[in-house]
Amino acid sequence: MTALRTLAFGDGAVWGASWSPDSAGAALTALGSGSDVNVMPGLGLSDSGAGPADEWHLEAEGVALVAAPVGELVDVQAARDGLAGSEQLCRVTGTVASNQVDCLGVRSAWADDVELARFESIRAVSVWFDPDEAFALTAFRPRKTKHHDGDLLAAAVIGPDVSAAAEDPRLSTTYAADGWPVRAGVELWFSGEEPERQFPRRASGEPVGPRAQAVAGELELQAEPFRWHSRGRDAAGMYLLASRR
């Protein structure tokens, strides 16, 4: 069993974000199309098995979606705490109401020994480049921690040439007065061929289109589709923020 699974997907026209904790928490899924956003409390992810090649499913009245793996599963860990999980590029297909869905996304899973009650907030930031590359970063903020310097971060890059966990992931976010992100930057540092040399992978992004907000148990969740930019390329993605009420 996992403590938490998240799924984010979209192509600009249709998008979705799902927050699925273990049986001790409340699941929540938000689905958007055009200017319409549908928040579905209680709808969480199910799977056809526990392996990296297995599909994840979202199923409800009017919703039939399958998240199938595309990229390699990458194990990640927060260096300062040992929080362990995995990130994987996926393709989401199916239907939402009358809309056909066929787009990329990122699915994340966190080990069953991750105690979600320890954290004041969790940010799950994902970036996917068509057809086969993604960045994924999760930032856990422990209770009584007021600033991002105390966050526990884990991240990965997933691609056709290299898939690896970042050694030094960084997330910067600018918020509006209402608490929603208006700009974000991801910086993932990796070791080069020489031990003393490191190099970063960077992306910056801003929100696009409608967004979703809802309450799931003790948490308030915000899901906001993002447009990302990296090395002259544009990408879709998601900024998912879960904050304790």
Side-chain angles (χ1 to χ4, degrees):
M1 178 179 290
T2 57
L4 174 67
R5 288 186 296 171
T6 63
L7 171 68
F9 62 91
D11 59 6
V14 179
W15 63 270
S18 186
W19 170 274
S20 299
D22 62 18
S23 58
L28 181 74
T29 295
L31 302 168
S33 176
S35 60
D36 297 328
V37 176
N38 186 16
V39 177
M40 309 180 75
L43 177 57
L45 293 155
S46 60
D47 58 47
S48 56
D54 293 313
E55 297 174 339
W56 292 9
H57 300 264
L58 277 173
E59 297 179 347
E61 184 176 356
V63 179
L65 296 172
V66 176
V70 172
E72 179 182 353
L73 183 144
V74 181
D75 291 325
V76 296
Q77 190 172 63
R80 285 193 291 121
D81 192 272
L83 294 167
S86 63
E87 306 282 4
Q88 191 169 30
L89 183 66
C90 62
R91 178 164 292 277
V92 179
T93 57
T95 58
V96 175
S98 58
N99 298 303
Q100 293 293 319
V101 178
D102 186 351
C103 59
L104 291 177
V106 170
R107 63 188 205 179
S108 307
W110 294 92
D112 58 6
D113 59 354
V114 175
E115 299 177 17
L116 299 181
R118 291 175 50 200
F119 303 108
E120 185 68 26
S121 65
I122 300 171
R123 293 161 179 79
V125 178
S126 48
V127 184
W128 50 87
F129 302 88
D130 191 49
D132 53 11
E133 186 176 0
F135 299 168
L137 180 150
T138 305
F140 297 85
R141 180 165 297 178
R143 292 192 181 199
K144 299 183 179 181
T145 300
K146 301 299 182 182
H147 305 289
H148 67 83
D149 290 346
D151 289 355
L152 306 172
L153 283 79
V157 62
I158 307 161
D161 299 323
V162 60
S163 294
E167 297 170 21
D168 182 11
R170 306 174 189 179
L171 172 67
S172 60
T173 307
T174 302
Y175 297 93
D178 60 4
W180 284 89
V182 295
R183 189 162 47 253
V186 173
E187 192 171 283
L188 309 180
W189 285 84
F190 301 87
S191 292
E193 294 181 359
E194 301 176 7
E196 302 81 10
R197 185 179 180 184
Q198 285 193 322
F199 64 95
R201 300 290 297 274
R202 297 186 177 99
S204 60
E206 67 282 334
V208 291
R211 59 200 187 187
Q213 185 172 23
V215 172
E218 297 181 349
L219 296 178
E220 180 179 39
L221 287 110
Q222 300 173 217
E224 194 165 23
F226 257 59
R227 180 183 292 113
W228 294 91
H229 318 281
S230 178
R231 297 182 175 181
R233 299 177 299 163
D234 291 336
M238 189 72 60
Y239 198 116
L240 180 62
L241 170 61
S243 303
R244 195 163 301 281
R245 296 191 295 153

